[in-house]
Amino acid sequence: MQSERTIRLFAGAREAVGSDTARVSLPEAATAEEVLQVLARSHPQLSGLLPSCRLVAAQEYLDPAARVPADAELALIPPVSGG
Amino acid sequence: MAAELTVRLVDHAIELQALWQRIADPDCGAQLVFVGATRQRTATERDVLVTRQLAYQAYRPMAEKELRVLLEEAAERWPLRHLVAVHRLGEVPVGQASVAIGLSSPHRGACMEAMPWIMDELKRRVPVWKQEHYDDGSTQWIHR
């Protein structure tokens, strides 16, 4: 079963997409790595940035092989540059 | 003794006097404040980039949480009594502070060792991004 999910976007990713969110259709029990692959296909304007991005669920960084929890808020985190 | 932690994301100038007051403690012989500010000129291999201002964006709830976790970890590693982290968001003109870290401890070693660790970790994991606004009108999100 596919599920429709919203992923929050920031900084260069937000600028590339022209929106502060991206809608994606994810396979059941998708891993963080698979979510990035789905994003690369649905939003090709992110392709340059995606290899260096991390996925966050419920404000926690996910390992690439970790499954994405069902109800958590998702966010795409490009390399950070605070300070 | 439990450490006192303060984390703030602000949309205005960072109040450094208030930060000094927050880390003051009669039992702390060491008080250290680091301020990161918008730099005007950045030399690259080819030329010199001139910055007019920076604009910071954050994933706010996570940035606050990550800053707090960072200070908690620092307080476990070093005997610090007061730890303050303030990050400014939005536009920060040249010369103004974008980030300020304040630490105090009974002896100086803890502050002096913890400060570079905190700044390195902040730049590695806290979801805040800077956008350069150059003098020629162009802008660039910094992702490295």
Side-chain angles (χ1 to χ4, degrees):
Chain A
M1 243 225 357
Q2 300 275 315
S3 64
E4 293 291 319
R5 301 290 294 269
T6 299
I7 301 176
R8 295 189 66 173
L9 303 175
F10 297 95
R14 181 181 290 186
E15 186 175 78
V17 172
S19 170
D20 55 10
T21 59
R23 291 284 289 173
V24 290
S25 183
L26 299 182
E28 198 171 352
T31 64
E33 192 171 21
E34 286 166 345
V35 173
L36 298 187
Q37 289 164 1
V38 168
L39 260 178
R41 287 194 294 272
S42 62
H43 296 76
Q45 61 272 54
L46 286 173
S47 59
L49 202 52
L50 274 171
S52 56
C53 287
R54 286 176 282 181
L55 192 70
V56 155
Q59 299 171 28
E60 298 279 352
Y61 289 110
L62 292 177
D63 288 330
R67 296 204 187 287
V68 174
D71 297 322
E73 178 174 87
L74 302 180
L76 183 71
I77 305 296
V80 301
S81 52
Chain B
M1 189 178 293
E4 182 201 46
L5 275 57
T6 307
V7 169
R8 298 265 190 279
L9 298 177
V10 299
D11 300 293
H12 49 73
I14 295 175
E15 292 161 10
L16 291 171
Q17 202 54 44
L19 192 154
W20 280 111
Q21 285 167 7
R22 195 161 272 280
I23 61 171
D25 185 321
D27 289 327
C28 288
Q31 303 172 4
L32 185 63
V33 172
F34 170 81
V35 175
T38 299
R39 180 180 55 245
Q40 184 168 40
R41 279 185 287 269
T42 300
T44 69
E45 286 177 5
R46 282 184 303 167
D47 50 11
V48 175
L49 301 173
V50 179
T51 297
R52 188 163 42 85
Q53 64 178 16
L54 296 175
Y56 284 88
Q57 189 181 90
Y59 182 12
R60 276 188 102 116
M62 182 175 170
E64 278 186 33
K65 191 204 73 167
E66 288 289 322
L67 276 173
R68 179 162 291 277
V69 168
L70 197 50
L71 295 189
E72 285 169 358
E73 289 180 16
E76 282 172 17
R77 285 172 173 238
W78 292 279
L80 299 161
R81 292 279 174 83
H82 302 273
L83 303 89
V84 182
V86 185
H87 205 302
R88 183 173 174 183
L89 302 176
E91 295 170 356
V92 183
V94 163
Q96 295 192 20
S98 54
V99 66
I101 307 293
L103 304 173
S104 61
S105 53
H107 304 280
R108 72 180 183 280
C111 291
M112 308 278 262
E113 287 177 19
M115 188 63 84
W117 183 86
I118 289 172
M119 280 308 300
D120 287 348
E121 289 296 312
L122 183 154
K123 285 173 169 286
R124 198 175 69 76
R125 55 168 133 145
V126 178
V128 173
W129 299 270
K130 65 166 68 95
Q131 185 187 39
E132 288 274 1
H133 289 239
Y134 296 111
D135 218 23
D136 64 4
S138 63
T139 63
Q140 181 188 20
W141 284 105
I142 304 301
H143 289 306
R144 50 172 155 66

